[in-house]
Amino acid sequence: MDGATLVDAPSAASPAASTRPPSAGVRCPLCGDGIVESDGFCSACGRRALSSRPTPPLVPVGSPLAGGVVVASPGGDEYVVRAAGGATLRVVLGDPTAIEREADLLERIGGTGPFPGVSECGVDDVHGSYLAMAAPPPEARPLSEVGSGLTLATAIGVLRALVDAAQVIEKIGFAWEPQRDDVHVRPDGSIKISRVRIPRKLGHGERIDARAVVEAVGPTFVPTPALEGPSRAFRLLLPHVPIPGDAGNSISDVRREIAAVELDLAPPTDDGLRVAGVCDPGLRRPHNEDAFAFATGTTAGERWSVLVVCDGVSSSSHADRASTLAAKTACDTLAQSARAGDVSLEAGSTAVAQAIRAAHVAVCSQPVEVTGEGPPGTTIVVALISRQRLTVGWVGDSRAYWISGDEAEQITHDHSWAVEAIKRGEVTESEAATSPLSHALTRCLGPLEVADAGERVEAGARRRFAEVEPGIRVRDLPGPGWVVLCSDGFWNYFSTPADVATLVRIGAGAASSARVARRLVNHALARGGQDNVTALVYLHR
């Protein structure tokens, strides 16, 4: 996919990213939070990150093994063996207990479905315990090799098949997490499983963690083909912080989540609207504190559009309520001015500023219980498009960009410590980027901008708050292009106008606003999705 080079591949810390096990005392490669303890399990996520199996001796190609001859070695303890009768077997060596447990599970399954049948479990005089199984068919390729080349629909089908396989294993009383090299995909999208590594007995009443099954192989499909699909696919494929409404970890829960993603697989259709947005919670936040709103209409034969994006200040209380209220208030206020015809020329700048101030008053006037986090606050960026003119107003660090065939411009400049310190010559751009204050805001909406921060407000008294001064910019729109409004959850990964333009222009001739908005958010999620991510896009013709 053009432009995909802008997205980093999944971290080597993702599951199955390396065949070399970590040492005890290092950070867990599965969750990235805990430490691998001496028993091989992570102190945080509790999953096995260090194998206790001894490294088996290398068996050269052409050597006898398990009654046949080694013809290939896909992995350190696995061998492809040509049996005496001509059959192709996969033979694994290892700890006797682990070998016997894997053999016991596979024998109970009996070689049905995607699972391999067991040919023999024994002890080689030279190489120790082994398990010989039917090898995957030659047309089936390891998921680690072909995963990024699958369509997203096929990838989701692979996940569904793995969840079905996990249910078979659960019914026998075992838990299992697949590895990408153990899953093979046929050209028709069906799967074969070459082995079931280190199955664990389930405790009384314990159920298999189907989400862990999916996440064990999910990074294979990031960035491609995940970029093709809905943003919710990233929460299916990658480990993430649960948000309210997320499905649980059972097999039925994950199946419902897969079904929901499948319903959204179709690309957005061009419904004729010039405006579309995506507001996603990201992968590392438990709540979505972003919000957007838009309105379109025609007054006296002139088309107009209003776009608003808000990002609740995470260090404040009720940030989600603040952003939602500000977005709605600003959009309604500015749309009312547009319907009245009060947005021409200089009046447009005044109307935008008034809409932002109305949003500020609305947030300040909300009756909320202020916690130790401080009063509610939010950023805002507002765009008015009318009579081939773009008027943008903003407070904080939510941004607006104008992208055309030959132009790429950031309309706003952040109200942040970093931008203002650089402007004053106090720090360089590189110093500001690494500073703990890099994202500290110098302006926002809400009672964070109070006149007397320490002043106590008596019950029933009128709350005092400072006026807010938005930034305002106006420019003509001489030809077709795109207006992009976004929160910092997007521009943290793609901050320069050139980066944004590269993503917007992918297939621009046939792209609707909805396709562009989805693409922008998905690229941010593929880069890590550390924050809520919002993109609101207007197609100017």
Side-chain angles (χ1 to χ4, degrees), residues 196-231:
V196 180
R197 297 174 188 264
I198 321 176
R200 175 181 63 82
K201 274 282 191 181
L202 290 171
H204 179 71
E206 185 183 1
R207 307 297 296 272
I208 201 167
D209 186 343
R211 188 169 299 282
V213 170
V214 169
E215 291 175 356
V217 301
T220 308
F221 307 122
V222 177
T224 56
L227 289 173
E228 304 171 9
S231 59

Side-chain angles (χ1 to χ4, degrees), residues 502-519:
T502 298
L503 296 181
V504 167
R505 290 169 182 159
I506 298 172
S512 64
S513 296
R515 284 177 182 261
V516 173
R518 172 187 280 191
R519 182 186 308 133

Side-chain angles (χ1 to χ4, degrees), residues 43 46 50 164 168 235 281 286 389 420 426 439 442 505 511:
S43 61
L50 175 62
D164 291 343
V168 173
R235 281 190 299 283
R389 175 170 289 195
E420 296 181 8
E426 296 173 358
H439 282 274
T442 56
R505 290 169 182 159

